[in-house]
Amino acid sequence: MDRIKGFNPFTSIGSSALTVFIAAVVLFLINRAIFETTVLVQTLAKALGLGAVYAIVALGFVLIFKATQVVNFAQGGLAMVGALFLSFLAVDEHIPFTTIQNPLIGIGPSWFGWGLSVLVALVFAALLGLVIERIVIRPMIGQPLFSVAIITLGMEAFLRTFANDSVRVQLRPLGIPWGTGGFTLGGTVGDNGITTGGAFVAWSYVAAVITAAVAFVAVFLFYRSRMGVAMRAVAFDQEAAMANGINVGLVFAIAWAAGAVLATIGGIYATQPPIAQTGAVQIETQFIAFRTLPAVILGGLDSVQGALVGGLIIGLAEISAGQYLSQFSGQLGAGYPLIVPYVVMIIGLLVRPYGIFGTPEVRRV
Amino acid sequence: MYRRPHMFTSYASEAKILSSTTQRVAMAVGLTVLVLMPFDLPVINQLPFIRFLGDSDWLRPVSTVLVFVIAAIGLNILAGVAGQVSLGHGFFMGVGAYSAAFLGGDATATVYGHGLPIWIWLPGAGVGAALVGMLIAPIAVRLRGLYLAIVTLGLVFIGIHLGNTDWGRRFAGDPGLGRDFPTLDIRLWKEENPLVSVSDDGQWLWFDAATNQKSYLVLLAIMLVMVLLAKNIVRSRTGRALQAIRDRDIAAEVMGIAEFRYKVIAFAISSFFAGVGGALFASLVGKLPASEWDLFLSVEFVAILLIGGLGSITGTIFGTIFVVLGPLLIEQATRWLDRQTESEGIFGILADTVLTEGPGDFGPVSTGTQSPGWPLNVFDWNVALYGVLIIVFLIFEPLGLYGIWLNIKSYFQRWPFSY
């Protein structure tokens, strides 16, 4: 793979600078762990929550890319439409048949009913993914990668129009049973029974981490199954897989359905802390996909473990930058944490042009 | 070579921009039409179907087309000729616009500006963007395909954020309103009365001209120069090197083309065009916030390329016309349909089925501009249709409008043996 290259000063400078930078960050975190443990715990919990959401959405990108060689820029639109399905089912149509006394937020939808409507919404999302794959992506097999990627951008514009239109006037709540609440770790209990000074952990962080764990374990198990092996074969070489009797169309369909489901889950978590505080679908919900792209690229476009690692790294970078650089927010500009993922991505790509776990493209003359 | 359109006896004759008499005549007619476009001509206005624009509502969108052609050609050189996919064209346009504003804009208490004339700020905008492009190119050279596309997409977000930081605001102005950009007035230096006034109505030589008509002519001149420049770059040594890199980069390297250098050159040229286009666009609009140079703008240029035809400059012009004027046509058509509602006959029925004017109607297009909910308004439909158009063109006509044009052209060229 080594070949004569034009002079590129960024290669060596990039990797040595990165080593120094990572060392500095680690030393800083150790310093914080000793002097401000509570803040660090809270930051790490938040980072884990955000990282888990990124990892879920990144997994959707990676599944679709591995099977069909398409970067699906429409994931954001899918996330929003999927979350709107849930809002429609759970809130507008009252699919949760009863409201009960919920231990976390008082009176709210029952866990069972809400879970049911999530399942139905995910099925709808999967169907949407199947339809898109069949109508838009299937005719493009064999076309240049770039054309297919741009087609998904067109799809995004289409989905986004309808999604934006339905939330422009009022936000669409999702009726999430755990709400935006959370619990406090550590801290001191005062005389009136109120805890002060602990590290706040939102329920959504816990839920996101559990969901991510389930999703990744499911995908790893799936890759061991017969269909999963077929999918890996298709990812390796479409024509060879087809010649061996693998139903490539079915593989495409499964990947897109799974991608849409993961996007929807991402869209649901995008209404929750730490990404948003409203618990309702709003226009910003769709940006979860573009915020996740750095995680996908950093981990490597075609690597499942890359999605996990990339998501966690990007989540950590974004949250800790927001926490520890806030004193410089004047110079860095308001909302600078949202830019941190892209900066991390660019630095990471300088060192590893195919991401951490990505497979380098074999180039032949 | 009469009736032998594809036979060339020398490389020079193949590389000619206008190789046949037909093309030369068509170009001459086309240029005349373009130059006369903004005027109300007494004789031509009497002819059926031919309307020159005069100082109508359409002149401004047509000027926007001219500006977008410049920027789109830049992306075409990068993506179509050199094969480097970029979703960050809006970023480079923004860099150009703020370089122009820095050089040519008026300084206020909150923003920089040096009030220099157009012959400095326009090239300055291109050079500023090209420098930034060359700065980014070494990163981009290491990446391929979709990785490159996503990194350039990141540039757009980083760029908008930089424009909203405290020091970025010194260039970009208020995040909500933006800043004033330099006008197209042609001055020798910073004198009070411009040599040629473009930004206000008034006398030009012996005829009256409104500001839109004047800026159209100035932009047309700039566009023609830039198109010629692009044509010449593409058919020069540099252009051939870029095409070789696009077709197979390792093979090109083996043949002695310095890949790194030519990729940096491609980025520089592309950003130069983007910068000039961005500066002119900002100048045409007059006031823009930094958030205007967003992903949507970049995607619009990718759409222009794909609809027009990747790698062809003629196609880029078709694509720009289609993407910029198409939404306006739909809007006009809706307005026209709105007026037909009361009429009898087929148009009245059509209007009834398509439009929704209030509760109780079930047409898919709502006539209100701000109405939420299902009957989408025209602007939303435009965005949706534009997504659909990208999809349709890519699936059914990957060569874009240029491919359709080639088919039509070859039909007539090969006649009577066309099939």
Side-chain angles (χ1 to χ4, degrees):
Chain A
M1 196 47 225
D2 205 6
R3 60 190 188 82
I4 300 162
K5 270 186 242 166
F7 171 67
N8 192 335
F10 284 80
T11 319
S12 52
I13 299 177
S15 52
S16 44
L18 193 73
T19 318
V20 174
F21 178 74
I22 291 176
V25 168
V26 169
L27 284 179
F28 178 77
L29 285 180
I30 292 173
N31 172 305
R32 289 298 97 183
I34 296 168
F35 293 106
E36 270 186 338
T37 319
T38 320
V39 177
L40 184 73
V41 168
Q42 184 170 330
T43 309
L44 287 181
K46 209 170 167 185
L48 210 57
L50 185 63
V53 179
Y54 282 166
I56 293 169
V57 182
L59 184 60
F61 275 105
V62 168
L63 279 184
I64 291 182
F65 184 81
K66 267 181 89 84
T68 63
Q69 307 289 307
V70 178
V71 172
N72 180 17
F73 287 109
Q75 288 292 83
L78 281 174
M80 195 155 162
V81 172
L84 284 171
F85 281 147
L86 175 60
S87 168
F88 179 71
L89 290 167
V91 180
D92 294 3
E93 297 298 315
H94 303 292
I95 297 291
F97 309 102
T98 51
T99 51
I100 54 157
Q101 186 69 31
N102 183 316
L104 292 179
I105 54 164
I107 290 180
S110 75
W111 288 80
F112 176 74
W114 190 78
L116 196 67
S117 45
V118 168
L119 278 183
V120 178
L122 291 184
V123 169
F124 279 173
L127 287 177
L128 182 64
L130 289 179
V131 169
I132 292 176
E133 192 273 329
R134 193 69 195 82
I135 295 179
V136 178
I137 304 299
R138 198 74 68 87
M140 295 298 288
I141 291 180
Q143 300 283 342
L145 294 187
F146 178 52
S147 305
V148 192
I150 297 304
I151 265 206
T152 61
L153 268 175
M155 201 64 232
E156 159 83 4
F158 186 74
L159 289 177
R160 189 182 54 195
T161 310
F162 292 95
N164 280 358
D165 198 74
S166 52
V167 296
R168 191 170 293 147
V169 176
Q170 60 187 38
L171 307 183
R172 302 273 299 222
L174 293 178
I176 292 170
W178 59 80
T180 52
F183 60 93
T184 315
L185 274 181
T188 48
V189 183
D191 297 335
N192 48 7
I194 295 172
T195 324
T196 49
F200 176 77
V201 180
W203 291 115
S204 60
Y205 305 167
V206 182
V209 169
I210 294 172
T211 316
V214 170
F216 274 90
V217 168
V219 168
F220 278 120
L221 288 181
F222 172 70
Y223 273 151
R224 299 276 177 281
S225 75
R226 197 178 167 78
M227 197 63 224
V229 172
M231 190 177 269
R232 275 152 57 197
V234 170
F236 191 73
D237 188 335
Q238 265 177 32
E239 281 179 19
M242 206 178 255
N244 280 300
I246 291 170
N247 187 348
V248 176
L250 183 65
V251 167
F252 273 36
I254 290 178
W256 271 81
V261 164
L262 287 165
T264 302
I265 297 175
I268 295 170
Y269 280 116
T271 66
Q272 295 275 303
I275 297 173
Q277 301 296 331
T278 51
V281 184
Q282 51 194 332
I283 289 179
E284 284 75 18
T285 306
Q286 64 192 294
F287 297 146
I288 182 68
F290 285 129
R291 288 174 66 175
T292 306
L293 274 175
V296 184
I297 294 297
L298 188 71
L301 256 177
D302 57 352
S303 157
V304 173
Q305 60 272 50
L308 183 61
V309 173
L312 291 177
I313 291 178
I314 294 290
L316 182 67
E318 186 177 330
I319 295 293
S320 51
Q323 174 68 36
Y324 291 116
L325 297 180
S326 55
Q327 49 188 322
F328 303 113
S329 67
Q331 288 87 336
L332 294 171
Y336 70 92
L338 293 182
I339 300 304
V340 169
Y342 291 102
V343 177
V344 173
M345 169 183 79
I346 289 176
I347 296 172
L349 283 184
L350 282 179
V351 184
R352 291 189 69 93
Y354 292 96
I356 299 174
F357 292 103
T359 323
E361 176 191 350
V362 178
R363 300 163 74 212
R364 272 179 295 225
V365 180
Chain B
M1 285 292 150
Y2 181 66
R3 289 243 168 222
R4 301 294 291 278
H6 294 299
M7 196 179 108
F8 300 104
T9 47
S10 70
Y11 187 75
S13 67
E14 196 192 350
K16 266 186 187 168
I17 295 177
L18 302 169
S19 53
S20 68
T21 320
T22 327
Q23 281 181 338
R24 278 187 284 270
V25 170
M27 180 59 79
V29 173
L31 280 183
T32 321
V33 170
L34 277 178
V35 171
L36 293 180
M37 186 92 95
F39 301 110
D40 250 336
L41 295 176
V43 181
I44 293 175
N45 268 356
Q46 307 302 317
L47 297 174
F49 295 115
I50 301 176
R51 286 278 177 283
F52 280 81
L53 291 173
D55 188 16
S56 76
D57 295 345
W58 282 91
L59 202 53
R60 244 183 122 70
V62 172
S63 303
T64 316
V65 170
L66 300 180
V67 173
F68 272 37
V69 164
I70 297 174
I73 284 174
L75 186 60
N76 205 347
I77 288 177
L78 186 65
V81 178
Q84 304 298 303
V85 177
S86 164
L87 289 175
H89 211 57
F91 167 75
F92 293 111
M93 287 177 77
V95 171
Y98 293 122
S99 308
F102 178 75
L103 293 171
D106 296 321
T108 64
T110 51
V111 291
Y112 296 123
H114 289 90
L116 295 169
I118 186 169
W119 58 269
I120 293 183
W121 66 251
L122 193 58
V127 171
L131 287 179
V132 175
M134 287 168 80
L135 215 68
I136 296 190
I139 305 175
V141 170
R142 278 174 66 74
L143 308 173
R144 350 208 121 252
L146 294 166
Y147 283 87
L148 177 59
I150 293 170
V151 166
T152 47
L153 185 149
L155 281 183
V156 174
F157 293 108
I158 295 176
I160 292 177
H161 178 76
L162 289 182
N164 290 336
T165 54
D166 285 354
W167 57 270
R169 279 180 211 189
R170 301 286 292 174
F171 294 91
D174 180 74
L177 292 170
R179 67 168 291 167
D180 288 323
F181 287 95
T183 55
L184 292 171
D185 286 338
I186 299 168
R187 288 182 168 84
L188 280 180
W189 194 242
K190 297 178 178 181
E191 65 263 24
E192 192 64 29
N193 291 318
L195 194 68
V196 182
S197 152
V198 182
S199 59
D200 49 353
D201 302 345
Q203 204 82 15
W204 250 21
L205 300 178
W206 61 90
F207 54 84
D208 266 341
T211 164
N212 279 346
Q213 292 168 300
K214 290 175 178 176
S215 53
Y216 170 85
L217 288 177
V218 172
L219 291 174
L220 180 65
I222 297 172
M223 185 207 79
L224 290 175
V225 171
M226 297 301 275
V227 167
L228 196 64
L229 183 65
K231 272 273 185 198
N232 284 339
I233 289 173
V234 171
R235 64 204 184 111
S236 69
R237 181 191 175 87
T238 313
R240 290 192 299 273
L242 296 183
Q243 287 169 36
I245 289 175
R246 171 193 65 191
D247 291 341
R248 184 62 90 179
D249 47 2
I250 291 188
E253 254 182 306
V254 169
M255 280 160 51
I257 294 167
E259 190 192 357
F260 181 78
R261 198 174 83 209
Y262 276 106
K263 278 187 177 173
V264 174
I265 289 176
F267 263 91
I269 296 173
S270 153
S271 323
F272 181 86
F273 278 82
V276 171
L280 291 173
F281 178 58
S283 172
L284 193 68
V285 177
K287 205 163 186 176
L288 277 176
S291 56
E292 201 70 17
W293 312 103
D294 58 358
L295 184 63
F296 194 72
L297 189 70
S298 307
V299 174
E300 200 166 338
F301 281 99
V302 174
I304 286 175
L305 248 59
L306 292 173
I307 291 176
L310 211 58
S312 129
I313 285 174
T314 324
T316 312
I317 298 173
F318 290 152
T320 318
I321 295 173
F322 195 88
V323 168
V324 178
L325 298 186
L328 281 172
L329 265 178
I330 295 175
E331 211 184 304
Q332 294 277 332
T334 320
R335 259 188 231 154
W336 174 82
L337 207 57
D338 196 17
R339 286 196 295 274
Q340 309 297 318
T341 320
E342 300 305 315
S343 70
E344 297 294 316
I346 188 152
F347 292 125
I349 296 170
L350 190 66
D352 271 348
T353 44
V354 172
L355 297 180
T356 296
E357 302 201 340
D361 274 2
F362 293 102
V365 181
S366 132
T367 50
T369 50
Q370 283 300 321
S371 65
W374 157 238
L376 300 182
N377 61 41
V378 186
F379 304 103
D380 283 345
W381 271 115
N382 273 330
V383 179
L385 279 179
Y386 153 91
V388 172
L389 272 178
I390 295 180
I391 296 172
V392 167
F393 263 99
L394 276 171
I395 292 180
F396 295 108
E397 187 58 67
L399 281 178
L401 290 170
Y402 185 67
I404 298 175
W405 165 243
L406 274 188
N407 284 342
I408 296 173
K409 206 165 81 170
S410 65
Y411 179 89
F412 285 105
Q413 276 177 345
R414 300 216 173 99
W415 195 84
F417 301 111
S418 38
Y419 39 81

